[in-house]
mmCIF file of all heavy atoms in Angstrom:
data_model
loop_
_atom_site.group_PDB
_atom_site.id
_atom_site.type_symbol
_atom_site.label_atom_id
_atom_site.label_comp_id
_atom_site.label_asym_id
_atom_site.label_seq_id
_atom_site.Cartn_x
_atom_site.Cartn_y
_atom_site.Cartn_z
ATOM 1 N N GLU A 288 124.874 146.956 85.614
ATOM 2 C CA GLU A 288 123.855 145.909 85.757
ATOM 3 C C GLU A 288 123.781 145.042 84.502
ATOM 4 O O GLU A 288 123.622 143.816 84.581
ATOM 5 C CB GLU A 288 122.490 146.556 86.029
ATOM 6 C CG GLU A 288 121.330 145.577 86.151
ATOM 7 C CD GLU A 288 121.453 144.656 87.357
ATOM 8 O OE1 GLU A 288 122.296 144.924 88.244
ATOM 9 O OE2 GLU A 288 120.701 143.656 87.402
ATOM 10 N N GLN A 289 123.910 145.687 83.323
ATOM 11 C CA GLN A 289 123.894 144.941 82.071
ATOM 12 C C GLN A 289 125.078 143.989 81.984
ATOM 13 O O GLN A 289 124.949 142.837 81.557
ATOM 14 C CB GLN A 289 123.907 145.904 80.886
ATOM 15 C CG GLN A 289 123.727 145.240 79.530
ATOM 16 C CD GLN A 289 122.353 144.600 79.377
ATOM 17 O OE1 GLN A 289 121.376 145.058 79.960
ATOM 18 N NE2 GLN A 289 122.283 143.522 78.603
ATOM 19 N N GLU A 290 126.241 144.455 82.411
ATOM 20 C CA GLU A 290 127.418 143.593 82.425
ATOM 21 C C GLU A 290 127.216 142.410 83.372
ATOM 22 O O GLU A 290 127.599 141.280 83.069
ATOM 23 C CB GLU A 290 128.643 144.401 82.840
ATOM 24 C CG GLU A 290 129.106 145.415 81.791
ATOM 25 C CD GLU A 290 130.319 146.200 82.261
ATOM 26 O OE1 GLU A 290 130.715 146.019 83.439
ATOM 27 O OE2 GLU A 290 130.873 146.987 81.458
ATOM 28 N N ARG A 291 126.610 142.686 84.526
ATOM 29 C CA ARG A 291 126.355 141.609 85.488
ATOM 30 C C ARG A 291 125.391 140.577 84.904
ATOM 31 O O ARG A 291 125.611 139.357 85.024
ATOM 32 C CB ARG A 291 125.772 142.192 86.776
ATOM 33 C CG ARG A 291 125.514 141.152 87.865
ATOM 34 C CD ARG A 291 124.850 141.790 89.068
ATOM 35 N NE ARG A 291 123.490 142.206 88.752
ATOM 36 C CZ ARG A 291 122.434 141.399 88.751
ATOM 37 N NH1 ARG A 291 122.597 140.101 89.028
ATOM 38 N NH2 ARG A 291 121.236 141.836 88.469
ATOM 39 N N LEU A 292 124.335 141.044 84.250
ATOM 40 C CA LEU A 292 123.358 140.129 83.654
ATOM 41 C C LEU A 292 123.995 139.294 82.549
ATOM 42 O O LEU A 292 123.697 138.102 82.406
ATOM 43 C CB LEU A 292 122.171 140.918 83.097
ATOM 44 C CG LEU A 292 121.265 141.580 84.144
ATOM 45 C CD1 LEU A 292 120.178 142.411 83.460
ATOM 46 C CD2 LEU A 292 120.616 140.530 85.049
ATOM 47 N N GLN A 293 124.872 139.910 81.768
ATOM 48 C CA GLN A 293 125.552 139.165 80.702
ATOM 49 C C GLN A 293 126.454 138.083 81.288
ATOM 50 O O GLN A 293 126.516 136.965 80.760
ATOM 51 C CB GLN A 293 126.362 140.127 79.833
ATOM 52 C CG GLN A 293 125.500 141.028 78.957
ATOM 53 C CD GLN A 293 126.319 142.008 78.152
ATOM 54 O OE1 GLN A 293 127.543 142.140 78.348
ATOM 55 N NE2 GLN A 293 125.672 142.726 77.237
ATOM 56 N N ARG A 294 127.158 138.425 82.374
ATOM 57 C CA ARG A 294 128.013 137.415 83.015
ATOM 58 C C ARG A 294 127.169 136.256 83.553
ATOM 59 O O ARG A 294 127.520 135.085 83.388
ATOM 60 C CB ARG A 294 128.815 138.054 84.158
ATOM 61 C CG ARG A 294 129.949 138.944 83.712
ATOM 62 C CD ARG A 294 130.904 139.214 84.857
ATOM 63 N NE ARG A 294 130.222 139.793 86.018
ATOM 64 C CZ ARG A 294 130.040 141.103 86.217
ATOM 65 N NH1 ARG A 294 130.478 141.971 85.318
ATOM 66 N NH2 ARG A 294 129.424 141.531 87.301
ATOM 67 N N GLU A 295 126.050 136.595 84.191
ATOM 68 C CA GLU A 295 125.183 135.546 84.738
ATOM 69 C C GLU A 295 124.592 134.686 83.622
ATOM 70 O O GLU A 295 124.486 133.458 83.762
ATOM 71 C CB GLU A 295 124.060 136.176 85.568
ATOM 72 C CG GLU A 295 124.547 136.813 86.854
ATOM 73 C CD GLU A 295 123.394 137.374 87.659
ATOM 74 O OE1 GLU A 295 122.232 137.284 87.201
ATOM 75 O OE2 GLU A 295 123.649 137.923 88.760
ATOM 76 N N GLN A 296 124.207 135.352 82.502
ATOM 77 C CA GLN A 296 123.655 134.597 81.379
ATOM 78 C C GLN A 296 124.691 133.642 80.796
ATOM 79 O O GLN A 296 124.374 132.491 80.474
ATOM 80 C CB GLN A 296 123.146 135.565 80.312
ATOM 81 C CG GLN A 296 122.477 134.854 79.130
ATOM 82 C CD GLN A 296 121.955 135.835 78.101
ATOM 83 O OE1 GLN A 296 122.232 137.028 78.167
ATOM 84 N NE2 GLN A 296 121.198 135.339 77.137
ATOM 85 N N GLN A 297 125.924 134.118 80.668
ATOM 86 C CA GLN A 297 126.988 133.274 80.144
ATOM 87 C C GLN A 297 127.255 132.086 81.068
ATOM 88 O O GLN A 297 127.408 130.941 80.613
ATOM 89 C CB GLN A 297 128.261 134.104 79.967
ATOM 90 C CG GLN A 297 129.441 133.325 79.409
ATOM 91 C CD GLN A 297 129.195 132.805 78.004
ATOM 92 O OE1 GLN A 297 128.455 133.410 77.233
ATOM 93 N NE2 GLN A 297 129.817 131.675 77.669
ATOM 94 N N GLN A 298 127.283 132.355 82.356
ATOM 95 C CA GLN A 298 127.497 131.276 83.317
ATOM 96 C C GLN A 298 126.345 130.278 83.288
ATOM 97 O O GLN A 298 126.545 129.065 83.390
ATOM 98 C CB GLN A 298 127.673 131.854 84.724
ATOM 99 C CG GLN A 298 128.956 132.652 84.909
ATOM 100 C CD GLN A 298 129.033 133.337 86.254
ATOM 101 O OE1 GLN A 298 128.049 133.412 86.988
ATOM 102 N NE2 GLN A 298 130.217 133.861 86.580
ATOM 103 N N ARG A 299 125.114 130.792 83.139
ATOM 104 C CA ARG A 299 123.947 129.911 83.068
ATOM 105 C C ARG A 299 123.980 129.054 81.807
ATOM 106 O O ARG A 299 123.654 127.859 81.855
ATOM 107 C CB ARG A 299 122.673 130.752 83.110
ATOM 108 C CG ARG A 299 121.384 129.942 82.933
ATOM 109 C CD ARG A 299 121.226 128.903 84.005
ATOM 110 N NE ARG A 299 121.122 129.505 85.328
ATOM 111 C CZ ARG A 299 121.080 128.808 86.452
ATOM 112 N NH1 ARG A 299 121.177 127.477 86.393
ATOM 113 N NH2 ARG A 299 120.990 129.401 87.611
ATOM 114 N N MET A 300 124.377 129.647 80.681
ATOM 115 C CA MET A 300 124.476 128.881 79.435
ATOM 116 C C MET A 300 125.518 127.775 79.564
ATOM 117 O O MET A 300 125.299 126.650 79.101
ATOM 118 C CB MET A 300 124.829 129.816 78.277
ATOM 119 C CG MET A 300 123.696 130.750 77.871
ATOM 120 S SD MET A 300 124.201 131.941 76.599
ATOM 121 C CE MET A 300 124.689 130.837 75.265
ATOM 122 N N GLU A 301 126.645 128.101 80.187
ATOM 123 C CA GLU A 301 127.669 127.079 80.381
ATOM 124 C C GLU A 301 127.171 125.963 81.282
ATOM 125 O O GLU A 301 127.434 124.770 81.027
ATOM 126 C CB GLU A 301 128.923 127.724 80.984
ATOM 127 C CG GLU A 301 129.622 128.683 80.025
ATOM 128 C CD GLU A 301 130.777 129.409 80.691
ATOM 129 O OE1 GLU A 301 130.966 129.212 81.917
ATOM 130 O OE2 GLU A 301 131.487 130.178 80.000
ATOM 131 N N ALA A 302 126.430 126.321 82.314
ATOM 132 C CA ALA A 302 125.892 125.303 83.219
ATOM 133 C C ALA A 302 124.855 124.438 82.509
ATOM 134 O O ALA A 302 124.823 123.212 82.686
ATOM 135 C CB ALA A 302 125.272 125.971 84.446
#
Side-chain angles (χ1 to χ4, degrees):
E288 178 65 13
Q289 187 65 30
E290 290 179 354
R291 182 184 69 82
L292 291 176
Q293 289 178 352
R294 286 196 304 271
E295 291 182 359
Q296 183 179 9
Q297 181 64 30
Q298 292 174 348
R299 175 60 62 185
M300 289 175 60
E301 292 174 356

